Amino acid sequence: MAEATKEPEESLAGENNSSDRNNAGNSLNFIEQIVEDDLAAGKNGGRIHTRFPPEPNGYLHIGHAKSICLNFGLADKYGGQTNLRFDDTNPVTEDTEYVDSIKNDVRWLGFEWENEFYASDYFDQLYQFAETLIQKGLAYVDDSTSEEIAAQKGTPTEPGRMNQYRDRSVDENLDLFRRMKAGEFPDGAKVLRAKVDMASPNMHMRDPIIYRIKHAHHHRTGNAWCLYPMYDFAHGQSDSIEHITHSLCTLEFEVHRPLYEWFIDQLNIFPSRQIEFARLNLTYTVMSKRKLKQLVEEGHVSGWDDPRMPTIAGIRRRGYTPASIREFADRIGIAKRDNLIDVGLLEFCIREELNKTTHRVMAVLDEKPLKLVITNYEVGREEIMHIENNPEDPSAGDREVPFSREVYIERDDFMENPPKKFFRLFPGGMVRLKGAYIIKCDEVVKDNAGEIIELRCSYIPESRSGSDTSGINVKGTIHWVSVPHAVEAEVRLYDRLFSVENPAADEREFRELLNPNSLEVVRAFVEPALVEAARSEAIRNFQFIRKGYFVLDSDSTTDKPVFNRTVTLKDSWAKEVKKG
Ligand code: ATP
Ligand code: MG
């Protein structure tokens, strides 16, 4: 059962995984402990070699990021190496577009592989392994249909049945297998099965299929093969061929481990060790490539890199940094049982980082911003205000922000009939315009329909930020953009892709669970410095004061920047969870 970690703080304390960490005073996770024990015992000549083995049938997601950080992180920590191996044994679903995106994503996360390998590079070798098994009487060609094979397999409580093909002679098997390779038989006519144990309590040991006929074009080997190895036969042997010492995979492969070891024993090849860890599941999203692919193909999202997607490409476009993802992977740790991690923890990681690094800028996010006319400020006058880029980082310096007689503010920052404790602007009230002056609202101007079209205000000349001698204290500070200097931008406000916490565990069809409000596009007016930054592309992430963290999107043009909201300033959902 999945267990939810509601409060990000809880997972920060590492409670989630505490039972999987030893309590000897160090904080090794259980895999590091195994590695250290192996090193201490002098196994593999003190060598650590891991691999990250994606199947190139989709884009990588945040779950893969966890596996990448684990595999590359272990090698880094213990002076070892990591291979990138494409598990490309299924010709039908794989594509070079995916290969390229996977390489790009791994590098973006900050890792570099020792070798780039493809399971398809081992097709000859794997084929030889299969012949070896046949020669040892440990594999046979079976002519049964897949339905027959399934029916003969038995159930977990009932042993399977052996069929007549199981007794074929070595010579007959060799001959048939070679003819399968030569393309004499159509798809599905025959398979090669390992002869293990039809009565094993482990269903994976009941003579698993290791080769199937598939007359299909492969993205690397072209039409050279019409016979392809099954996952179980390709994966472990590829580990062995590469002399991988620790082969880390997710928990669902635990039941495959006896077979993994059986092949190693029977073929007498390098004894890679398989270790399983819990898969990462994240709230309000799905992590299966098949489902993510469906969302892309059916147009529920704009592509694999839609900023709402849990793909690395999507998260990157959303404004996450590689460091924030590595930090996240570190904080969730490595567990031995499946769990569901609150997406709030991922957001916490990026918020922490962006708080330290981003410039604070002003953007008025409003279809119809409110114009404020400062009647006692000379027509045509302009002033340059110096606003601190980042109060968390004095070395970030300050920025010139033009101020003039007319500024935009957000409509929400004004109320004609304010409730108590409303510290923003109201008729007769005063606020500070961030980094500029204190102003007072003198008059509300409405059109014939009664809609407010502008506020006429006056400013206190002695209240200029940095040299305020006015002696006036105001409770509210609001952000603004000078009307003649304002630049129009498009801002995309993203929310959770799904409206339920664990869509994968819901009986309803997952596409019915999509959050219909996961994207809101708004018009914004931003200060000119943002546009310059956008043009140079040197800086991409910003804090929009009072609004959240935003990143420049690749859809930006030189005339119109587009920003994605990465994350709000505070976790607004955490409060709702508490309230509820
Ligand atoms: P999917 O089921 O989404 O297609 P997969 O496991 O088939 O995922 P692969 O490309 O085969 O995807 O995975 C590459 C590696 O990443 C494997 O070692 C796999 O165990 C690991 N991995 C995949 N998903 C997760 C996850 N959610 N958390 C941790 N590791 C994962
Ligand atoms: Mg897989």
Side-chain angles (χ1 to χ4, degrees), residues 196-223:
V196 191
D197 178 5
M198 284 304 284
S200 171
N202 182 336
M203 301 292 282
H204 294 277
M205 300 295 271
R206 294 189 188 172
D207 292 9
I209 297 173
I210 58 178
Y211 263 96
R212 66 209 187 288
I213 299 171
K214 214 173 229 182
H215 292 266
H217 182 89
H218 185 278
H219 76 116
R220 281 175 64 87
T221 57
N223 296 321

Side-chain angles (χ1 to χ4, degrees), residues 82 144 287:
T82 305
S144 312
M287 214 69 97

Side-chain angles (χ1 to χ4, degrees), residues 58-63 282-320 325 343 346 494-498 510 514 518:
Y59 279 60
L60 296 183
H61 53 58
I62 182 81
L282 203 57
T283 54
Y284 299 99
T285 194
V286 293
M287 214 69 97
S288 128
K289 271 187 276 189
R290 181 181 58 77
K291 289 181 180 166
L292 295 175
K293 194 169 180 186
Q294 231 171 322
L295 294 179
V296 173
E297 283 171 356
E298 294 172 7
H300 299 287
V301 293
S302 66
W304 284 100
D305 67 346
D306 185 300
R308 291 166 292 183
M309 291 279 274
T311 51
I312 296 179
I315 291 173
R316 171 169 59 229
R317 192 165 171 194
R318 180 80 172 251
Y320 279 76
I325 295 173
V343 67
L346 181 62
Y494 295 103
D495 203 341
R496 317 180 144 165
L497 187 51
F498 287 90
F510 81 104
L514 284 164
S518 59

Side-chain angles (χ1 to χ4, degrees), residues 75-90:
D76 283 348
K77 180 164 179 180
Y78 296 103
Q81 301 182 334
T82 305
N83 291 348
L84 175 61
R85 183 202 312 141
F86 291 99
D87 214 331
D88 59 347
T89 51
N90 185 357

Side-chain angles (χ1 to χ4, degrees), residues 160-178:
R161 274 181 287 119
M162 294 179 260
N163 62 28
Q164 70 270 33
Y165 306 112
R166 206 176 196 265
D167 300 321
R168 274 181 165 150
S169 69
V170 168
D171 286 345
E172 188 185 1
N173 280 318
L174 260 187
D175 173 60
L176 286 172
F177 190 51
R178 287 175 181 166

